[in-house]
């Protein structure tokens, strides 16, 4: 109890004890708030990582973003499909913005990706025969953006936009093993 000697606890009066109790209570509340804030920040960071991972996967599965040798196209049938796909990608990018933390550095990247989608839509509308050239410009921006979004993150890895691995296709363009289940007989146990 010698360590209490400098405090001289025998001279405390009720107001001083109340002050000490108030300071302790304030410190406890501040510690609780700081702990809650750090837990919330961790949850927000995980939510942001999950949203970015889902976006990158979605862009990876967009076939119009696959690399091609662009050509001038006279018929605009494929252009309409690409337009719908880019509109969907832009909507997905804007939805992902809602999952970012306040002040996230990824906000600027997602805004650039959304602007690139809008630019593609304008260019493809003005000159539908040149839509493949605009699509490859969009792809270049998407690749750069996805690299920035996945750079240095444990949970968000890079997947190239539009380059999902080709698989063997079966009926209706589905992978050959899609929807097939193998029945494996297990030995019966008798009790």
């Amino acid at each position: 109890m010698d360590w209490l000697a400098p405090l001289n606890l025998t001279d405390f009066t009720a107001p001083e004890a109340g002050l000490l109790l108030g300071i302790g209570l304030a410190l406890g509340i501040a510690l609780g708030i700081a702990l809650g804030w750090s837990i919330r920040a961790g949850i927000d960071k995980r939510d942001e990582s999950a949203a970015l991972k889902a976006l990158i996967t979605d862009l990876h599965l967009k076939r119009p973003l696959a690399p091609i040798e662009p050509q001038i196209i006279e018929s605009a049938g494929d252009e309409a499909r690409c337009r719908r796909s880019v509109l969907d990608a832009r909507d997905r990018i804007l939805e992902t913005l809602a999952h970012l933390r306040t002040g996230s550095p990824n906000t600027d990247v997602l805004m650039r990706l959304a602007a690139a989608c809008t630019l593609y839509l304008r260019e493809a509308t003005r000159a539908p025969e040149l839509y493949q050239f605009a699509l490859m410009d969009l792809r270049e921006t998407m690749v750069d953006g996805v690299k920035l979004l996945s750079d240095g993150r444990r949970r968000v890895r890079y997947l190239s936009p539009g380059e999902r691995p080709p698989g063997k296709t079966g009926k209706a363009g589905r992978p050959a093993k899609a929807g097939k289940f193998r029945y494996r007989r297990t030995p019966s146990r008798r009790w």
Side-chain angles (χ1 to χ4, degrees):
M1 294 299 248
D2 291 336
W3 59 276
L4 290 175
L7 293 177
N8 198 5
L9 293 176
T10 57
D11 293 339
F12 271 145
T13 59
E16 292 170 340
L19 178 64
L20 187 60
L21 182 63
I23 291 173
L25 185 60
L27 286 175
I29 290 172
L31 182 63
I33 290 172
L35 182 63
W37 181 80
S38 67
I39 290 171
R40 180 65 190 172
I43 291 170
D44 288 346
K45 193 171 188 173
R46 276 196 310 269
D47 184 42
E48 179 176 334
S49 292
L52 290 173
K53 183 178 179 181
L55 174 66
I56 289 171
T57 302
D58 190 47
L59 293 175
H60 178 66
L61 297 175
K62 297 262 183 239
R63 293 307 268 169
L65 294 176
I68 59 169
E69 283 296 321
Q71 302 172 3
I72 297 175
I73 304 294
E74 295 303 322
S75 65
D78 200 34
E79 188 272 329
R81 181 182 60 83
C82 290
R83 181 191 312 257
R84 285 190 303 272
S85 184
V86 171
L87 274 169
D88 182 56
R90 184 181 66 179
D91 290 345
R92 181 77 173 174
I93 290 166
L94 294 175
E95 288 172 10
T96 304
L97 277 168
H99 294 279
L100 298 184
R101 295 170 287 142
T102 304
S104 173
N106 297 318
T107 303
D108 292 337
V109 177
L110 291 179
M111 293 301 289
R112 271 184 281 173
L113 294 179
C117 290
T118 302
L119 180 63
Y120 165 79
L121 294 169
R122 281 189 201 140
E123 288 179 4
T125 301
R126 270 190 248 137
E129 68 279 356
L130 299 175
Y131 82 94
Q132 286 187 352
F133 292 94
L135 198 57
M136 288 303 99
D137 290 341
L138 174 63
R139 183 191 187 314
E140 185 178 314
T141 303
M142 290 287 185
V143 167
D144 293 342
V146 169
K147 283 180 182 177
L148 288 172
L149 293 174
S150 61
D151 188 34
R153 297 182 174 280
R154 292 180 293 131
R155 294 186 179 134
V156 182
R157 66 181 192 134
Y158 175 78
L159 296 172
S160 183
E163 287 189 34
R164 81 172 159 197
K168 294 181 181 178
T169 56
K171 296 178 184 176
R174 294 183 311 189
K177 299 269 184 187
K180 293 184 179 179
F181 297 100
R182 287 190 161 178
Y183 176 75
R184 193 168 74 183
R185 186 174 177 168
T186 56
S188 62
R189 293 185 185 175
R190 293 183 186 177
W191 300 97

